[in-house]
Amino acid sequence: LSEQPTEIEKSGYTKIKNTKRVSEKELLYALHLVFKDGFWLNAEIEIEKLEDKTIFRVRAQENPPVKQITLDGASVVGVDSVITVLKNLIDRPYSPVKSFHGALNVLRLYKRNGYSFARIENVGFDSLSNSLHIKLNEGVITKITVEGNHKTK
């Protein structure tokens, strides 16, 4: 590790520290484990070989943080209830993986409240405004038509 290792470097190092030799495949897998949550815009590993040691550095750039969440189509369950389910995404780096799990939690909220036809139509992140936008279709049934109501034998 470098003299002042970052949390990413520490995390990557713990995945490979118990081996004397590390292959390129093992380094890539350690990098994958560190970055699988999707908080990172880009990342690279730098390895510097010195006489008596090898220094492992990870250079990474986080995604911009989610500063606000905008909802379109949330009315029957309530915006406050939906935002409560998504509050763990706010002030954290944008992650497609975490946003997907948040969207699933929103659908679970609707299902618990009896709206099993609810669906997420779109999820998008605007990196300029740091805004996560979620478009919902609450699946509210507005009309039921029965046709062919004939008596059968």
Side-chain angles (χ1 to χ4, degrees), residues 95-114:
S95 166
V97 174
K98 298 295 183 186
S99 297
F100 173 74
H101 291 294
L104 289 177
N105 288 335
V106 169
L107 291 177
R108 288 182 188 109
L109 171 69
Y110 273 88
K111 192 167 191 164
R112 278 194 309 269
N113 284 285

Side-chain angles (χ1 to χ4, degrees), residues 25-86:
K25 186 188 290 186
E26 291 167 319
L27 280 175
L28 288 174
Y29 183 67
L31 189 64
H32 161 74
L33 292 176
V34 171
F35 296 103
K36 70 180 179 180
D37 287 334
F39 292 120
W40 311 101
L41 188 58
N42 59 43
E44 61 184 48
I45 296 176
E46 181 182 301
I47 300 169
E48 183 180 352
K49 292 183 182 182
L50 302 174
E51 292 175 13
D52 59 336
K53 63 182 175 180
T54 302
I55 298 176
F56 172 80
R57 286 188 193 94
V58 178
R59 305 217 188 282
Q61 180 182 3
E62 281 185 340
N63 282 320
V66 175
K67 289 297 182 186
Q68 66 178 356
I69 298 175
T70 58
L71 297 171
D72 185 15
S75 59
V76 294
V77 170
V79 173
D80 291 339
S81 297
V82 176
I83 292 293
T84 300
V85 169
L86 298 170

Side-chain angles (χ1 to χ4, degrees), residues 4 18 39 69 78 85 89 105 116-117 133:
Q4 296 177 349
N18 294 326
F39 292 120
I69 298 175
V85 169
L89 299 175
N105 288 335
S116 47
F117 293 131
H133 180 75

Side-chain angles (χ1 to χ4, degrees), residues 131-150:
S131 178
L132 182 66
H133 180 75
I134 299 175
K135 184 174 182 183
L136 297 165
N137 181 326
E138 295 177 315
V140 176
I141 299 171
T142 57
K143 182 178 179 182
I144 298 176
T145 303
V146 178
E147 292 182 16
N149 191 11
H150 300 283

